Amino acid sequence: MDNIPMSAPDISRIEQQTLSRVLQTRHLSLGPYLEQFEQAVAAYTGSRYAIAVNSGTSGLHLAVIAAGVTSGDWVITSPFSFIASANCVMYERAVPVFVDVEAATGNLDPALVAEAACDLTRGGAAAQHWLPRSLKQSSNGQPKSNIQNLKSILPVHAFGQPAEMAPLLATAQQHRLAVIEDACEAIGADYRGHRAGSLGDAAVFAFYPNKQLTTGEGGLIVTDRADWADLFRSLRNQGRDVFNAWLSHTRLGYNYRLDEMSAALGLAQMQRIDELLAKRARVAGWYDERLAGLDWVERPFIAASTSRMSWFVYVIRLKAPLLRDTVMQQLAGRGIPSRPYFTPIHLQPFYQQQFGYQRGDFPVTEHLGDVSLALPFSGVMTADQVDRVCTVLTEVAQSQAVRRPVFSAGH
Ligand SMILES: Cc1ncc(COP(=O)(O)O)c(C=O)c1O
């Protein structure tokens, strides 16, 4: 039997032909494919500007810079995410201030964010509650005099489902905070009829090969703000002023450029974006059918505000007393890969060392981190492969249930 991969890109002849055309040109960087790819994504998300970069992480870093986040500032974000959505804040020596998520979706809890934003803008004792342990009493944890430390909210559209953006945007407006959407997992998702990526001041997509659309490595920022777009183009290109000569560097910049091969791959994938997303939705539908009615598993929850899910991963939750890690090991033993996705960011060793986080700090995130299991998923998965995963998963779950007799329907 063939191995079922955890994920796989969906590459057709269109991508192969487009890539071979690039190799026949003299432009392998900053050429016409980059521009065409950017225009295609801008049109798709309904954004004025799109700036491609070499990873989602690079894009988030540049968005954080554009939001004016500097040393000691605070950015409200989610601990239930991939580590890059917090690291991008750390790159500017600022502090990701985590706020717990909603149990149903795993996205930022807007009521908690509203509370946190109020307290953090007030500063002093009220702010302390939300700050990481290691900053609570230190001078670093105190607001700079007369300067508001809280600069931005960085919601993550986890697993391809938009965060509850309306109340988050209202909070941001109330406190004059920039909103950076981490849409790295959510190209093509819609929130109340609006495209993910079109809601904040800037949004970032990522195109690693497990994503809905891939460029190999790569990412892209969308924004409606002309000043930010110019800044992004300069920052990704060693701080060269967009209107200036190649040898003039007007600010501290980076080499975050996306090469032409990657851009061409992205352009070809953009031509197939509806097909790519539809194929993934079909695979998610097969999983939903096969797992329906099983009382030991919770299937992905789609919020009423999600007018279109963009399936990045298929993440189930295992109900007690099933042990996620044991299930994962037993699946692996039978040739089925799976991942504990996400591991909460605040419990990552680096974040624990840096900020003194402990278990118990973000209970909803931690619970999700304990019970969530990403199953093999891609647009090229077949119905037979989904069947095999679900059959083995059910056998593993039942064998655990026999060994742990408290298991019964209704748990
Ligand atoms: C939520 C989230 N943010 C950021 C990133 C970073 O993207 P990249 O791996 O392209 O740097 C990812 C990628 O997996 C992600 O899932």
Side-chain angles (χ1 to χ4, degrees):
M1 249 190 290
D2 58 326
N3 281 340
I4 299 178
M6 192 60 212
S7 67
D10 184 344
I11 305 294
S12 73
R13 284 177 66 84
I14 299 175
E15 284 83 345
Q16 289 171 357
Q17 285 164 354
T18 311
L19 263 173
S20 77
R21 276 202 293 277
V22 180
L23 296 174
Q24 289 157 23
T25 72
R26 288 181 296 126
H27 291 287
L28 299 188
S29 185
L30 296 176
Y33 284 97
L34 179 69
E35 271 178 39
Q36 286 176 50
F37 176 46
E38 289 177 340
Q39 281 163 13
V41 181
Y44 184 70
T45 55
S47 308
R48 287 172 109 140
Y49 309 101
I51 301 91
V53 286
N54 59 3
S55 73
T57 307
S58 311
L60 287 169
H61 181 198
L62 298 192
V64 164
I65 294 174
V69 174
T70 58
S71 180
D73 284 340
W74 301 327
V75 175
I76 291 177
T77 191
S78 168
F80 190 62
S81 176
F82 181 65
I83 195 149
S85 57
N87 281 352
C88 62
V89 176
M90 302 278 291
Y91 297 156
E92 292 304 307
R93 305 205 172 282
V95 180
V97 178
F98 294 128
V99 170
D100 214 346
V101 296
E102 292 182 304
T105 61
N107 281 326
L108 268 180
D109 182 330
L112 284 180
V113 169
E115 227 182 289
C118 262
D119 289 348
L120 289 164
T121 43
R122 211 176 305 147
Q128 297 292 312
H129 170 71
W130 302 93
L131 295 179
R133 198 166 276 104
S134 74
L135 297 185
K136 273 192 203 301
Q137 299 307 327
S138 77
S139 55
N140 282 351
Q142 299 298 330
K144 297 170 204 160
S145 55
N146 301 323
I147 297 176
Q148 182 181 310
N149 284 50
L150 183 63
K151 287 283 170 63
S152 174
I153 304 177
L154 196 157
V156 179
H157 304 319
F159 307 156
Q161 168 145 256
E164 193 56 76
M165 290 300 290
L168 293 175
L169 290 167
T171 296
Q173 201 175 18
Q174 187 187 344
H175 300 287
R176 297 167 187 265
L177 306 172
V179 174
I180 301 168
E181 289 174 72
D182 180 340
C184 286
E185 303 190 347
I187 191 159
D190 286 335
Y191 171 79
R192 299 187 190 277
H194 299 279
R195 237 336 97 86
S198 66
L199 299 155
D201 294 278
V204 180
F205 300 111
F207 305 130
Y208 188 73
N210 63 348
K211 296 292 190 301
Q212 295 91 323
L213 178 153
T214 189
T215 57
E217 294 287 356
L220 184 141
I221 319 169
V222 285
T223 183
D224 283 345
R225 294 179 59 161
D227 54 338
W228 282 28
D230 286 345
L231 182 63
F232 293 142
R233 289 186 203 287
S234 169
L235 288 172
R236 78 168 168 190
N237 196 15
Q238 304 285 16
R240 293 178 169 98
D241 204 302
V242 271
F243 307 110
N244 261 345
W246 186 252
L247 290 175
S248 173
H249 304 267
T250 49
R251 53 176 62 82
L252 176 66
Y254 306 86
N255 180 355
Y256 285 171
R257 295 185 300 259
L258 187 74
D259 64 74
E260 278 290 276
M261 288 72 74
S262 300
L265 181 52
L267 180 64
Q269 291 251 291
M270 272 310 290
Q271 286 162 11
R272 299 177 55 222
I273 184 76
D274 291 337
E275 174 202 340
L276 294 176
L277 296 181
K279 283 166 83 176
R280 295 177 88 95
R282 191 173 59 154
V283 175
W286 290 332
Y287 268 123
D288 272 344
E289 279 168 26
R290 307 307 191 264
L291 298 175
L294 301 175
D295 57 11
W296 45 269
V297 65
E298 246 181 77
R299 291 173 291 140
F301 171 84
I302 312 297
S305 56
T306 300
S307 32
R308 186 188 194 194
M309 178 80 183
S310 171
W311 288 94
F312 165 50
V313 275
Y314 192 89
V315 179
I316 56 167
R317 297 176 188 178
L318 296 171
K319 294 193 198 169
L322 282 186
L323 298 174
R324 193 268 317 276
D325 290 351
T326 313
V327 169
M328 203 168 67
Q329 279 160 17
Q330 291 179 351
L331 285 176
R334 297 191 53 187
I336 308 287
S338 60
R339 298 279 183 275
Y341 199 69
F342 297 112
T343 301
I345 299 178
H346 68 285
L347 297 182
Q348 297 288 353
F350 174 67
Y351 277 79
Q352 287 195 312
Q353 283 158 26
Q354 197 75 15
F355 295 117
Y357 284 122
Q358 294 169 7
R359 227 171 213 283
D361 286 344
F362 301 100
V364 180
T365 292
E366 288 161 26
H367 174 69
L368 297 184
D370 289 341
V371 301
S372 296
L373 188 67
L375 299 176
F377 187 73
S378 74
V380 295
M381 240 183 131
T382 63
D384 283 350
Q385 288 177 320
V386 172
D387 272 345
R388 202 157 99 231
V389 173
C390 294
T391 303
V392 175
L393 178 65
T394 304
E395 286 167 9
V396 163
Q398 280 166 351
S399 76
Q400 265 207 48
V402 170
R403 255 177 272 136
R404 299 167 65 85
V406 275
F407 185 87
S408 68
H411 268 282

